[in-house]
Amino acid sequence: MAIQPKKHEMPVQDAHVRAHNFKEVALGYTPEIAVAEAQRCLNCKNRPCVEGCPVNISIPEFISKVKESDFEGAYNIISASSSLPAVCGRVCPQETQCESKCTLGIKFEPVGIGRLERFVADYHNDHFKGEIAVPASNGHKVAVIGSGPSGLTCAGDLAKKGYKVTVFEALHLAGGVLVYGIPEFRLPKSIVEKEVDTLKKYGVDVETNVVIGKTLTVEELFEDGYEAVFIGSGAGLPRFMGIPGESLKGVYSANEFLTRSNLMKAYDEHSHTPIMHAKTVAVVGGGNVAMDAARTALRLGADHVYIIYRRSMEEIPARKEEVEHAEEEGIEFKILNNPVEILGYHNPDDRRDPKNGFVTGIKVIKCELGEPDEKGRRRPVEIPGSEYVIPVDCVIMAIGTSPNPLIKNTTEGLDVNRHGGIIVEEDTGKTSKEGVYAGGDAVTGAATVILAMGAGKTAAKAIAVSYTHLTLPTNSRV
Ligand code: FAD
Ligand code: SF4
């Protein structure tokens, strides 16, 4: 049978319709489409796709099960390596990971591995009615700080080995960026909730509204009987450009804007969370965060949303699919433009004028591409005298985030690098402090869900190994 050269299309909501609602954009494969896509896989003996997956999912094996319509069998294979398959199937940058290594991709489009992963996870979530086998306790207590993908993965892997794990989360809901950052239209919160519920069934306790470094310290966790601590506190501290006008009303960090909309449900007309329903919005940045903020602003009622990015479309770091979706929905890309000032309204004759202090525009300077930087991306070079003003009433800064220094500042002996990332041993996640492990964005700075999960796995393995010299209770499964 001849191989179909292109991936089977993912059914999506119409761009004009979805630009005005928060429902999921991509609708997922049907079983028939999934089987047909699986049949494109060559079942390569050397498995290059597995090498491209940071958690080494047995990709050809799970796809073979899909070919046989054994979707539960496929799920069992994926879940042996990944604790959040419905999430990864939606948000992982497969085009730069597993799919970039796919043999089929040399001549045709690679196998839609991410789309198949998503299908299998959703099928399981919709159909599985069996009970989870809860492992016997081994009597050891581990504390996990943060409930993002790194913390949840570390907690899940340890719980499956019989550890008593408690996750401490600063916010009122578990999930990290998956619930407060990535919008509903890309990752429905019910999916994250289901993944968290599954971990709870394995015996993981989740304590929300606990800020480690304020409510409790790492030292106090040890005093409370936890024998190891994993820090997966992410990189939630927003960066600003340091240009004039950033304290005007109507300037948000993307994290604040998205948290208000996602976690605090400001998009819902019945919510009490205030958010600006601006008509013209500038989003500064070109990553996934910028795309999410821009598409959220559009759905909140903006007529014009501009992405202001200082390099060209070639260098834009957001996932290709997210850029395409944003373009289809009408987001306008002002590339090779760099902001120099945010302008505001000032009425010197009437200090009580309610418009005082609100954003009126953003001044940008045009750029051209120069020599490559240390990462090989061509540097933007400003063109003198090319400044112009784009009238806007809201500016959202999506130019990156850093790890919050709170835990470092309240934990003696925890070393961080000059960017605030916790320093760890690469193959164990061990920090400079005895019994403390770390992983995910708290170590690397803002990265990806799958890398955070991989780090959670590495640390869970190392924590388990560190206990093997102890005499474990007879019911232990370690
Ligand atoms: P987080 O997910 O940041 O979780 C950390 C958790 O720790 C948070 O819940 C936080 O509240 C909690 N915490 C922090 N400090 C404390 C404390 N002191 N005490 C207790 N709890 C604390 N990646 C992709 O792969 N694909 C995408 O499409 C994608 N899109 C993104 C879109 C947005 C808007 C953002 C912001 C990020 C996106 N990312 C994407 C990046 C990805 O989400 C992160 O790399 C990943 O979530 C990092 O996981 P983590 O577990 O390290 O941290
Ligand atoms: Fe299938 Fe592509 Fe992996 Fe080969 S590389 S086994 S074709 S998914």
Side-chain angles (χ1 to χ4, degrees):
M1 196 170 57
I3 292 175
Q4 175 170 315
K6 289 196 166 228
K7 283 182 202 173
H8 286 79
E9 288 285 335
M10 172 68 104
V12 289
Q13 266 197 77
D14 178 80
H16 299 291
V17 176
R18 71 180 192 241
H20 305 289
N21 71 50
F22 277 85
K23 292 192 195 128
E24 193 170 13
V25 168
L27 303 174
Y29 278 169
T30 60
E32 294 72 30
I33 306 179
V35 171
E37 182 60 26
Q39 279 163 351
R40 296 181 66 236
C41 174
L42 307 169
N43 204 4
C44 313
K45 289 279 163 290
N46 56 344
R47 307 159 89 233
C49 48
V50 180
E51 232 174 78
C53 171
V55 294
N56 298 120
I57 293 175
S58 298
I59 293 168
E61 290 76 9
F62 103 71
I63 294 181
S64 293
K65 292 286 179 196
V66 177
K67 275 186 205 169
E68 297 161 14
S69 296
D70 178 3
F71 306 133
E72 205 49 45
Y75 179 81
N76 290 337
I77 292 173
I78 299 175
S79 64
S81 309
S82 164
S83 15
L84 305 168
V87 172
C88 289
R90 284 172 166 80
V91 304
C92 271
Q94 291 98 5
E95 65 275 15
T96 56
Q97 296 176 337
C98 52
E99 293 181 15
S100 75
K101 308 269 182 204
C102 174
T103 314
L104 198 63
I106 298 170
K107 212 165 157 199
F108 303 123
E109 276 190 10
V111 176
I113 301 170
R115 293 174 183 183
L116 288 173
E117 181 185 18
R118 170 191 162 140
F119 165 78
V120 167
D122 286 357
Y123 189 92
H124 168 84
N125 285 339
D126 291 343
H127 293 87
F128 181 71
K129 299 279 179 282
E131 288 294 310
I132 281 172
V134 180
S137 167
N138 66 18
H140 292 293
K141 277 173 70 178
V142 177
V144 168
I145 304 173
S147 64
S150 67
L152 292 179
T153 302
C154 184
D157 281 15
L158 287 170
K160 286 173 195 168
K161 290 187 160 111
Y163 289 82
K164 185 69 209 137
V165 184
T166 308
V167 176
F168 295 96
E169 168 54 51
L171 297 173
H172 64 273
L173 263 186
V177 169
L178 309 179
V179 292
Y180 81 72
I182 304 181
E184 182 77 16
F185 56 82
R186 217 150 64 77
L187 178 62
K189 302 309 149 222
S190 56
I191 285 168
V192 185
E193 217 176 294
K194 261 191 196 146
E195 306 270 23
V196 174
D197 281 348
T198 305
L199 291 186
K200 286 183 182 166
K201 286 185 190 150
Y202 278 110
V204 173
D205 283 332
V206 180
E207 287 198 26
T208 52
N209 298 313
V210 181
V211 182
I212 301 298
K214 280 219 186 285
T215 326
L216 283 170
T217 61
V218 168
E219 267 78 14
E220 283 167 337
L221 292 175
F222 284 115
E223 286 164 21
D224 286 352
Y226 292 99
E227 295 155 273
V229 175
F230 173 78
I231 305 174
S233 49
L237 196 65
R239 286 195 209 128
F240 284 86
M241 292 184 72
I243 57 174
E246 283 183 323
S247 56
L248 286 165
K249 295 173 206 162
V251 180
Y252 289 87
S253 71
N255 262 21
E256 181 190 343
F257 186 74
L258 290 168
T259 302
R260 281 174 185 269
S261 178
N262 294 323
L263 185 74
M264 301 170 78
K265 305 268 178 265
Y267 71 83
D268 181 344
E269 57 183 295
H270 303 298
S271 161
H272 295 298
T273 307
I275 197 163
M276 203 170 171
H277 294 260
K279 285 292 160 203
T280 314
V281 180
V283 179
V284 181
N288 289 320
V289 183
M291 299 307 134
D292 284 345
R295 295 169 74 197
T296 297
L298 189 74
R299 283 160 172 76
L300 288 172
D303 296 328
H304 292 281
V305 182
Y306 306 110
I307 289 279
I308 302 194
Y309 179 59
R310 61 196 183 135
R311 291 185 165 94
S312 77
M313 289 307 264
E314 292 264 298
E315 290 83 22
I316 211 156
R319 290 185 63 204
K320 192 168 158 266
E321 185 180 87
E322 304 312 326
V323 175
E324 283 168 7
H325 282 167
E327 283 180 316
E328 286 165 12
E329 288 166 13
I331 304 295
E332 297 161 58
F333 285 74
K334 300 250 179 216
I335 51 149
L336 290 166
N337 275 236
N338 201 22
V340 287
E341 185 178 356
I342 301 169
L343 309 170
Y345 182 83
H346 298 287
N347 181 351
D349 301 327
D350 182 1
R351 290 175 53 202
R352 292 195 180 160
D353 185 336
K355 288 188 287 189
N356 269 337
F358 275 92
V359 170
T360 57
I362 184 162
K363 189 193 274 185
V364 296
I365 185 163
K366 292 184 181 173
C367 300
E368 57 192 1
L369 291 180
E371 292 303 309
D373 61 16
E374 60 288 349
K375 289 185 186 159
R377 291 193 310 167
R378 291 181 66 191
R379 277 177 218 277
V381 180
E382 295 181 352
I383 304 171
S386 66
E387 292 94 339
Y388 69 104
V389 173
I390 307 170
V392 295
D393 42 16
C394 175
V395 174
I396 303 171
M397 287 290 177
I399 55 164
T401 51
S402 315
N404 190 309
L406 178 65
I407 295 177
K408 184 248 171 293
N409 290 347
T410 52
T411 310
E412 214 172 296
L414 189 66
D415 291 345
V416 299
N417 61 29
R418 66 193 170 92
H419 304 292
I422 300 170
I423 297 171
V424 297
E425 276 179 22
E426 204 179 315
D427 49 353
T428 60
K430 272 187 191 167
T431 69
S432 53
K433 190 171 172 70
E434 182 68 28
V436 179
Y437 299 74
D441 286 6
V443 167
T444 56
T448 62
V449 170
I450 194 79
L451 287 174
M453 279 178 52
K457 270 197 160 318
T458 300
K461 212 162 145 194
I463 291 170
V465 167
S466 75
Y467 284 107
T468 48
H469 67 283
L470 300 172
T471 313
L472 298 175
T474 44
N475 61 356
S476 165
R477 308 175 89 209
V478 179

